[in-house]
Amino acid sequence: MPEKKADKATDAGVEKGTDAPADGTSDAGGTKATATIPGARMRKKPVAGTEPLLKVSGLTKHFPIRKGLMQRKVGAVQAVDGIDFEVLPGETLGVVGESGCGKSTMGRLITRLLEPTGGTVEFQGRDITHLSTGQMRPLRRDVQMIFQDPYSSLNPRHTVGTIVGAPFKLQNVRPEGGVKEEVQGILERVGLNPEHYNRYPHEFSGGQRQRIGIARALALQPKLIVADEPVSALDVSIQAQVVNLLDDLQQEFGLTYVIIAHDLSVVRHVSDRIAVMYLGKVVELADRTSLYQEPLHPYTKALMSAVPVPDTKRRQQRERILLKGDVPSPISPPPGCRFHTRCWKATQVCKTKEPPLLELKPGRRTACWHPENAPDQAPDDKA
Amino acid sequence: MFAYLIRRLMAAVVLLFVVSAITYAIFFVLPRLAGSTPDQLAAQYIGKSPDPKTIEAVKQNLGLDDPVYIQYWDFIRGIFAGREFNFGPDPSQCNAPCLGYSFRKHVEVWPEMLDRLPVTASLAIGAAVLWLISGVTTGVISALRPGSFFDRAAMGIALAGVSLPMFFTGTVALALFVYHWEIFPNEYTPLTENPVRWFQGLMLPWFSLAFLYSALYARLTRAGMLETMGEDYIRTARAKGLKEPVVITRHGLRSALTPIVTIFGMDFALLLGGAVITETVFSFNGVGSWAVQSINENDLPPILGVTLFAAFFIVICNLVVDFVYAAIDPRVRVS
Amino acid sequence: MTGLTKTGAVGEPVPADTEASSFLDIRDLKVHFPTDDGVVKSVDGLSFQLEKGKTLGIVGESGSGKSVTSLAVMGLHTAGQYGKRRRAQLSGEIWLNGQELLSAEPEAVRRLRGREMSMIFQDPLSALHPYYKIGYQIVEAYRVHHDVDKKTARKRAIEMLDRVGIPQPDKRVDDYPHQFSGGMRQRAMIAMALVNNPELLIADEPTTALDVTVQAQILDLIRDLQKEFGSAVIIITHDLGVVAELADDIVVMYGGRCVERGSAEQIFDRPQHPYTWGLLGSMPRIDREATDRLIPVKGSPPSLINVPGGCAFHPRCPYADVPADNASRTVRPELREVGSGGTPANEGVAGGGGHFAACHLRQEDRERIYTEEIAPKL
């Protein structure tokens, strides 16, 4: 963020008189609000014992596959297959996993863009699993979503003002000073020029469009924002701007995030706790430090060792676990532990019995018979 | 693949029955609903000066007093097994496929139609070959050199071709080539009789019809090719070092033609069911002009016959299109 | 800058012996696309060398010109382009194995494509033809350059599929691309690219469309195959992690130009250009303790029609005002060797493996800024 650069500049004694005006360019991440936040930001630990904002148990979504003349149901894509987790107010839960793991479906289930096949979703203690669209409407104020593709998620025929102002209209909210002023305030807050109120999405760059998407989600000051791959379509340098913006907004408005992404580095950076998904199941759920320092599930370990690291020295020394093959199809997931087909530790029990998601260490849950860095759950089993 | 074909085939059969039922309903049920008595209906089939005796005969023959489903059953059975019409001077067996009997002309519909089919088929097939070759070629060349002189000229002509109706193009061609310069004969000669005359007689209708269609196909092909040639797999084909003609035909054209196949199936089927305007303009005695003639004379059985016949072609052509599609695109077969 | 510049015409001496020059030598490459809004200068003066058996990583964001460069080497900007309006304007020189490609006959370049140099693309699903069997597409690639019957070519295709790690290659050879998984498709693409033992392999974002665990497999495969075939590899990516895994040398591109060039160690240990710093600072790192904030590059990538004057990066550069005389905004910085008093890159030894940066900051300032401000925060 520019503020930091200004700090750095003074630290280093470099004369940078014109830095401040340069910050005023429309896409610079910095806005005045950031100035109120101390440079080194504190990561708030969610207070234990507080009511979870979102509680998900046994959440399941199967998409039926129909075939033939009669459109008989011949099977189902088991996109999400019984997952439990909760999200505490003010925290960021990251959800990682590879394609087909069901993370996006999960996002759509908790925002109720999809109706679950089974399980429950509770928001602020209220069961919202089977609410109708009409019943969901008041809740939409509190739960918002940010999508991956800033190009297709904004209606090209609407101006930025209309897009960001739409939630006010839908929810029949009349802010003081009028919608326009409010929208311009939000635009400014997300680092866009409020003068661009009447422009169309195509006039903006990818990063700016994602800011528009964020502004829309932010409009009614929701409690929970579910972001599905919020930065994966953006260039690296822009990605960092958006990540920092999400961070700042969380601080300022006390938002709670569920951030879904395939990029482990991004997820680790933004999250307090992380859920690792594989083929419709949560295989590990832990705070970010322990997850990265001593992963419990072999899949988590493999996933992290596979991330290429921008450091040539690490090329030789680091331990890499190369998984065999691809993720199996969610239409017919392997029996037992779904990861056993690619796991180097798999034994008989893994092929037949599904491991439960257990709290093996304080605050860290994993579903594995032979976890890393924790006591083996089935020590006598043979391969 | 096999399951896919069987599925399409079954769907086609079902569709044919539905079409026949609807067509039948239009001719025999709707008038009743509108208040016509069987007598009035029968009178319609006779034409001028219906006398009670003929009305009674027609009623008997068509079973107009029977419940609708029995009438329909008789009609369908006639198509597969033939039926008898005791009418007019000589009581006749209407052989399968019996599409009906014209009480005015005292002829069966099917043999009459069969007589005219070669005219329509010659017209349709010849024109289709012409427009496919010229339309697709023009479209491909235009797409490969967008913005070039050829492209702009071809697309200009194509625009004219799409906009000009048959009765204009055909009439002008007729006036120039037949009456003014007397290059072509203005009649249809059966192929079996004299192939050369057959060919000469069809030249004008072929070209007029092909002009109309090839314009459309050129535009479609151009759009399809432009899109396909921008695909990643075309870049891959070039990166392999394939020669450009191979890239264009094997990799580009094959994909670009998929939508063309669908539309071609439709267009061709419609033509086989009677190139109404073309046949009329060139005074060809084909299926289409027969239908027009029958409409003018209010002779219902041929109209019903032609309608069913056209519907049959459309369903069959669509079936063929489905098969061709599956042959072109492997993804259709699997999913 | 119009059309092709013939080598002979500018009096550039043709290297007498190919031994002395690099296997791939690109000199002052420019690729411009005239449009209604102006000329898009996708690549605007790029030079680098690459030896056989080495891997070069080209890093940059979208619109930096990295993919355009690879297509220029392959001759794919002009292949199949008729009509004046669509033609890309290329100039400069591309020497491959002692042969200049930009001035060569298109037919001669076509014969090199797929045989001497081949390419794999980002999205293997769209890069493979959906209507043809995997085997057929590989056979086709082989038979363009080898006069063999179908049976021999098919055997070769199966052999290649086996080599890239596709199980049951004799069965999968008759599958269509949509029957393969994403990782398998990319393996098939690689098999197709390597079927003729090319000496140069260009991989354009080969793993961007793939999952992390599959990405690791593919990167491993590329590394192994390079060892085996000894070819030169260009890997084009936006992911610094990927180049760190594979590349010996790295070219960092910004706005159609090379802003920094050097060995992987030099780029990662002592990066010299503020844009490289920006890229490093923008990336969340999985291998280090999580930092609280990322250090993004402000603003957005430049328009390639109106590239900012002076240093193209100056509007986004936090140090644009450090060099004297407003040089950042007025003078285009040349690529100069780091630490050698600034020998311009083009006069340096070809492929000599030096470390070059195009920046107006003085060497001392750069070193100081990097060690004091940037490095501690990475």
Side-chain angles (χ1 to χ4, degrees), chain B residues 30-115:
Chain B
L30 273 188
R32 293 284 282 277
L33 292 178
S36 298
T37 61
D39 280 359
Q40 286 169 329
L41 211 55
Q44 285 226 337
Y45 284 81
I46 299 161
K48 294 163 212 127
S49 60
D51 59 282
K53 223 180 91 196
T54 17
I55 287 180
E56 193 52 38
V58 170
K59 230 162 64 174
Q60 282 301 318
N61 272 301
L62 291 174
L64 290 176
D65 283 331
D66 295 333
V68 172
Y69 63 92
I70 298 216
Q71 292 181 38
Y72 178 63
W73 169 245
D74 283 341
F75 176 73
I76 292 295
R77 210 180 45 189
I79 294 176
F80 289 101
R83 66 196 284 196
E84 213 158 291
F85 284 105
N86 287 308
F87 188 81
D90 45 344
S92 63
Q93 168 72 25
C94 174
N95 290 320
C98 177
L99 284 180
Y101 182 87
S102 166
F103 296 100
R104 296 188 187 189
K105 301 270 174 70
H106 302 288
V107 286
E108 290 167 41
V109 170
W110 175 248
E112 195 72 6
M113 192 144 65
L114 221 49
D115 266 1

Side-chain angles (χ1 to χ4, degrees), chain A residues 49-341:
Chain A
T50 46
E51 268 303 288
L53 185 70
L54 182 79
K55 190 166 186 296
V56 168
S57 33
L59 190 65
T60 305
K61 180 72 189 178
H62 290 185
F63 296 99
I65 305 166
R66 299 184 189 281
K67 259 200 177 142
L69 216 55
M70 297 294 112
Q71 292 292 297
R72 248 169 337 114
K73 193 183 149 189
V74 292
V77 179
Q78 303 174 21
V80 172
D81 201 25
I83 59 176
D84 313 88
F85 62 84
E86 55 240 22
V87 186
L88 302 179
E91 79 165 336
T92 300
L93 177 76
V95 181
V96 270
E98 298 180 280
S99 49
C101 75
K103 53 189 192 300
S104 288
T105 307
M106 189 277 293
R108 273 151 217 265
L109 289 172
I110 59 178
T111 47
R112 279 302 321 279
L113 295 177
L114 283 174
E115 175 142 4
T117 316
T120 55
V121 181
E122 281 172 45
F123 182 74
Q124 289 185 309
R126 181 176 169 208
D127 188 346
I128 62 164
T129 322
H130 298 292
L131 291 189
S132 67
T133 321
Q135 289 167 314
M136 267 307 286
R137 190 162 295 128
L139 269 162
R140 295 260 174 248
R141 275 191 80 154
D142 293 333
V143 184
Q144 285 288 330
M145 193 148 182
I146 299 172
F147 297 94
Q148 167 176 9
D149 188 353
Y151 291 86
S152 62
S153 61
L154 301 178
N155 188 333
R157 281 178 200 85
H158 288 173
T159 63
V160 171
T162 319
I163 291 170
V164 179
F168 292 103
K169 223 170 167 183
L170 289 172
Q171 294 286 350
N172 222 350
V173 175
R174 287 199 191 79
E176 263 178 82
V179 172
K180 183 171 178 181
E181 194 171 303
E182 185 74 15
V183 168
Q184 287 185 325
I186 300 165
L187 288 179
E188 192 171 4
R189 181 61 203 89
V190 298
L192 292 168
N193 187 342
E195 308 280 304
H196 294 168
Y197 184 85
N198 279 322
R199 295 206 179 172
Y200 288 90
H202 69 88
E203 296 174 73
F204 294 87
S205 68
Q208 288 170 321
R209 282 182 217 213
Q210 197 55 294
R211 286 171 195 268
I212 298 172
I214 293 172
R216 172 175 59 184
L218 205 63
L220 296 172
Q221 304 214 357
K223 296 193 174 70
L224 174 69
I225 290 187
V226 178
D228 189 359
E229 301 277 6
V231 297
S232 62
L234 307 175
D235 271 324
V236 191
S237 66
I238 307 298
Q239 197 170 310
Q241 294 172 359
V242 173
V243 164
N244 283 352
L245 174 66
L246 287 173
D247 227 358
D248 294 340
L249 295 173
Q250 182 168 43
Q251 299 287 308
E252 189 176 335
F253 299 107
L255 297 170
T256 306
Y257 288 137
V258 173
I259 294 186
I260 299 164
H262 70 280
D263 186 328
L264 280 94
S265 337
V266 168
V267 167
R268 176 173 78 153
H269 185 86
V270 297
S271 312
D272 300 304
R273 287 190 307 138
I274 295 167
V276 181
M277 284 184 73
Y278 187 78
L279 274 178
K281 298 269 184 195
V282 170
V283 296
E284 184 163 2
L285 185 62
D287 66 279
R288 63 163 174 176
T289 320
S290 12
L291 186 86
Y292 281 77
Q293 272 170 3
E294 39 166 37
L296 299 180
H297 201 284
Y299 177 63
T300 315
K301 195 175 175 190
L303 204 56
M304 280 190 304
S305 82
V307 177
V309 162
D311 186 345
T312 48
K313 280 180 238 91
R314 300 253 313 185
R315 208 190 304 195
Q316 293 86 25
Q317 37 179 272
R318 83 203 176 98
E319 182 200 0
R320 278 186 73 190
I321 302 158
L322 213 53
L323 290 180
K324 299 166 285 188
D326 293 296
V327 184
S329 154
I331 297 170
S332 48
C337 172
R338 294 187 170 188
F339 184 57
H340 84 255
T341 52

Side-chain angles (χ1 to χ4, degrees), chain B:
Chain B
M1 176 73 180
F2 191 67
Y4 170 80
L5 295 186
I6 296 293
R7 243 189 357 256
R8 305 311 303 183
L9 201 66
M10 271 162 51
V13 171
V14 172
L15 192 61
L16 269 178
F17 268 100
V18 172
V19 168
S20 75
I22 292 173
T23 320
Y24 192 82
I26 291 171
F27 281 87
F28 290 94
V29 181
L30 273 188
R32 293 284 282 277
L33 292 178
S36 298
T37 61
D39 280 359
Q40 286 169 329
L41 211 55
Q44 285 226 337
Y45 284 81
I46 299 161
K48 294 163 212 127
S49 60
D51 59 282
K53 223 180 91 196
T54 17
I55 287 180
E56 193 52 38
V58 170
K59 230 162 64 174
Q60 282 301 318
N61 272 301
L62 291 174
L64 290 176
D65 283 331
D66 295 333
V68 172
Y69 63 92
I70 298 216
Q71 292 181 38
Y72 178 63
W73 169 245
D74 283 341
F75 176 73
I76 292 295
R77 210 180 45 189
I79 294 176
F80 289 101
R83 66 196 284 196
E84 213 158 291
F85 284 105
N86 287 308
F87 188 81
D90 45 344
S92 63
Q93 168 72 25
C94 174
N95 290 320
C98 177
L99 284 180
Y101 182 87
S102 166
F103 296 100
R104 296 188 187 189
K105 301 270 174 70
H106 302 288
V107 286
E108 290 167 41
V109 170
W110 175 248
E112 195 72 6
M113 192 144 65
L114 221 49
D115 266 1
R116 294 153 199 268
L117 188 59
V119 182
T120 304
S122 307
L123 188 65
I125 295 171
V129 169
L130 256 183
W131 92 57
L132 266 186
I133 294 173
S134 63
V136 170
T137 317
T138 316
V140 169
I141 299 175
S142 281
L144 294 180
R145 299 166 190 270
S148 65
F149 174 74
F150 178 90
D151 178 33
R152 274 180 280 176
M155 286 307 117
I157 295 171
L159 188 63
V162 175
S163 330
L164 293 178
M166 190 61 210
F167 45 79
F168 176 80
T169 334
T171 315
V172 170
L174 210 54
L176 290 178
F177 292 95
V178 175
Y179 299 113
H180 188 71
W181 292 316
E182 298 178 3
I183 301 173
F184 297 116
N186 179 27
E187 62 187 359
Y188 175 80
T189 320
L191 177 66
T192 43
E193 216 169 88
N194 184 343
V196 178
R197 293 286 291 175
W198 172 81
F199 191 79
Q200 287 176 336
L202 279 164
M203 281 298 267
L204 267 195
W206 278 347
F207 273 98
S208 316
L209 204 53
F211 180 54
L212 179 74
Y213 280 95
S214 61
L216 184 73
Y217 280 66
R219 293 178 75 86
L220 280 172
T221 312
R222 180 180 186 270
M225 266 313 259
L226 273 180
E227 197 188 315
T228 315
M229 293 308 279
E231 293 281 353
D232 282 1
Y233 52 77
I234 295 296
R235 194 179 54 188
T236 310
R238 291 198 179 115
K240 288 200 265 194
L242 295 184
K243 293 192 173 119
E244 197 58 22
V246 179
V247 174
I248 292 166
T249 51
R250 208 186 284 163
H251 291 256
L253 197 55
R254 182 162 171 195
S255 314
L257 281 186
T258 347
I260 306 276
V261 167
T262 319
I263 296 166
F264 177 73
M266 264 322 225
D267 284 345
F268 188 64
L270 281 173
L271 273 188
L272 279 182
V276 178
I277 297 172
T278 317
E279 285 172 14
T280 312
V281 168
F282 290 95
S283 350
F284 273 21
N285 211 354
V287 178
S289 59
W290 187 41
V292 173
Q293 194 187 329
S294 305
I295 291 168
N296 285 336
E297 293 167 4
N298 214 2
D299 192 4
L300 296 180
I303 304 173
L304 172 63
V306 172
T307 311
L308 264 184
F309 189 62
F312 173 76
F313 269 122
I314 289 173
V315 172
I316 293 302
C317 282
N318 264 322
L319 190 65
V320 173
V321 164
D322 280 342
F323 290 177
V324 173
Y325 227 102
I328 296 182
D329 189 342
R331 288 170 298 182
V332 176
R333 275 173 254 161
V334 179
S335 65

